[in-house]
Amino acid sequence: GHSLAGIFIEAANTHSNHIYSNKIGTDFTGTKSIPNTFGIAIYQSNSNLIGDNNTISGNNGAGILLNDAGKNLIVGNFIGTNGSGNKSLPNHTGVVLSGRSIQNKIGYSSIVLPVTTRNVISGNSWDGVKFSGTAVVGNVLSGNYIGTDITGLLAIPNNRNGIILSDGAPNNILGGWKKAEENIISGNANAGIFIKGSNDNKIGGNLIGLDALGHNRIPNMTGIYLEKATNNYIGGDPDIELSPNVISGNNGDGIFLSSSDFNHLTTNIIGLNPNTILQIPNSKNGIQIVSSRNNIIGESSEIGNIIGGNGEDGVRIISGFNNSLYLNYIGTNQLLLNLPNRTGISLNSSG
């Protein structure tokens, strides 16, 4: 019930602290809100470890706020749920990075730690995770459940987006190459991932709109939504240690681009289960592009996207120019199974 934060860490010479096994914003049972403004606020302090087994919920602002903070590690926390990870106990926003926040890690870590690394970031009133500002650079978000319960099988929605990158946040990574780095981003009220006015980010190795087993729908409204976003990479590439995204089961489009240019979408599975055999449709289009130019859908040398089973078009381009499609499987997979969209590719206006 503190007016600033449950835990406040400030200044460069205050670093390398370990925060674990606390109830922050709740009573001792982790089931009832006793709100602080922020759960944990870290200003200008580096190399702190937050986790594991904190319940950081019920706060009026962010559960965790990093501002001008670098190389912090956030692992194994319940952020926006009760202490069992099976019911909502919302913060306003789960985790916020702002100011000059660089090289922070949220979730999976290759460092051997005696803790659980997955965060459950669900049930928050606004966004699950927010990266905001041009100096929020080089952060990694991987191996988390965002919008689901602790099992990854049931929805506990964040009431806006699962993840939002806004106000120019560049060069961050969502996901990874290893199975342990896979984010489950499902069940959120708006987009699973919303990239708004932010550039040069990499998104790969995530399940977006499915449960943790990849078997059943836990829909976001849209899987990934780009607005005024440039030069983002969405998909798999072993050279940059990203595996494919599976973007299926969402209530709207799998991927939606609006006024977004020079983005690269490749090696995604859109509208199917992870082994590309069963249809788990996005209710609208696999990919929809509006007022956007010079985006590449697919790959010029190897495999592109596998886009099948969607409720409307596999790829719909409403307006824009110089958007390219290369070497995609649309309505089928590598085995040439019949996995139809309503229409394969739809071009309208100046698309």
Side-chain angles (χ1 to χ4, degrees):
H2 300 285
S3 60
L4 178 55
I7 297 175
F8 183 44
I9 300 174
E10 184 180 24
N13 61 354
T14 308
H15 60 82
S16 304
N17 300 285
H18 186 188
I19 302 169
Y20 64 97
S21 295
N22 298 285
K23 301 291 192 291
I24 304 171
T26 79
D27 67 355
F28 73 95
T29 68
T31 61
K32 180 181 177 182
S33 173
I34 305 176
N36 307 291
T37 298
F38 300 109
I40 299 173
I42 298 180
Y43 282 59
Q44 300 176 343
S45 176
N46 302 328
S47 303
N48 298 287
L49 172 58
I50 303 173
D52 74 335
N53 199 35
N54 294 299
T55 300
I56 309 167
S57 301
N59 297 287
N60 291 330
I64 301 174
L65 172 64
L66 303 183
N67 187 72
D68 295 336
K71 298 184 178 179
N72 296 284
L73 182 57
I74 302 171
V75 293
N77 302 289
F78 296 110
I79 305 172
T81 73
N82 64 7
S84 299
N86 59 16
K87 291 183 180 179
S88 173
L89 189 59
N91 305 291
H92 181 273
T93 302
V95 180
V96 175
L97 274 62
S98 61
R100 189 174 183 273
S101 290
I102 297 174
Q103 297 180 0
N104 297 285
K105 187 99 183 221
I106 304 170
Y108 172 82
S109 174
S110 59
I111 301 170
V112 177
L113 295 168
V115 299
T116 301
T117 60
R118 176 184 299 125
N119 299 291
V120 177
I121 309 173
S122 303
N124 294 287
S125 297
W126 281 46
D127 304 306
V129 180
K130 183 175 184 177
F131 292 2
S132 180
T134 58
V136 176
V137 181
N139 302 285
V140 179
L141 177 70
S142 62
N144 302 287
Y145 286 179
I146 302 174
T148 76
D149 71 347
I150 190 174
T151 69
L153 302 178
L154 299 171
I156 303 180
N158 294 295
N159 286 328
R160 291 187 65 181
N161 305 289
I163 304 164
I164 180 169
L165 281 65
S166 65
D167 302 312
N171 291 301
N172 299 287
I173 296 174
L174 310 181
W177 178 253
K178 302 174 184 176
K179 180 67 175 176
E181 295 174 314
E182 174 184 83
N183 293 301
I184 311 302
I185 309 167
S186 301
N188 299 288
N190 291 348
I193 300 172
F194 184 20
I195 304 179
K196 183 178 182 181
S198 296
N199 311 319
D200 301 300
N201 297 286
K202 297 178 176 65
I203 302 170
N206 302 289
L207 284 182
I208 303 172
L210 300 178
D211 67 18
L213 301 176
H215 293 170
N216 298 301
R217 302 175 73 236
I218 304 181
N220 306 291
M221 178 53 69
T222 303
I224 301 176
Y225 193 121
L226 276 69
E227 180 181 300
K228 297 180 180 178
T230 301
N231 201 39
N232 296 284
Y233 189 99
I234 299 173
D237 186 339
D239 292 337
I240 56 175
E241 297 190 335
L242 291 177
S243 59
N245 297 296
V246 181
I247 309 167
S248 302
N250 296 288
N251 285 333
D253 297 316
I255 302 175
F256 184 88
L257 276 67
S258 175
S259 303
S260 294
D261 306 330
F262 296 99
N263 298 286
H264 194 171
L265 284 58
T266 189
T267 323
N268 298 289
I269 299 165
I270 304 173
L272 306 172
N273 71 336
N275 66 11
T276 73
I277 292 174
L278 300 175
Q279 298 173 324
I280 309 180
N282 296 295
S283 297
K284 292 189 177 180
N285 306 286
I287 299 171
Q288 182 167 189
I289 297 176
V290 178
S291 301
S292 301
R293 58 190 176 91
N294 294 306
N295 296 287
I296 297 174
I297 303 170
E299 182 57 63
S300 59
S301 60
E302 297 181 5
I303 189 172
N305 301 285
I306 302 173
I307 307 169
N310 295 288
E312 297 185 7
D313 303 326
V315 179
R316 176 182 292 180
I317 303 178
I318 297 294
S319 56
F321 57 90
N322 288 344
N323 297 294
S324 303
L325 283 77
Y326 296 110
L327 295 179
N328 299 285
Y329 291 87
I330 301 176
T332 186
N333 65 2
Q334 308 97 309
L335 302 175
L336 303 182
L337 293 178
N338 185 34
L339 299 163
N341 306 285
R342 187 185 68 180
T343 303
I345 302 170
S346 175
L347 304 178
N348 297 292
S349 185
S350 57

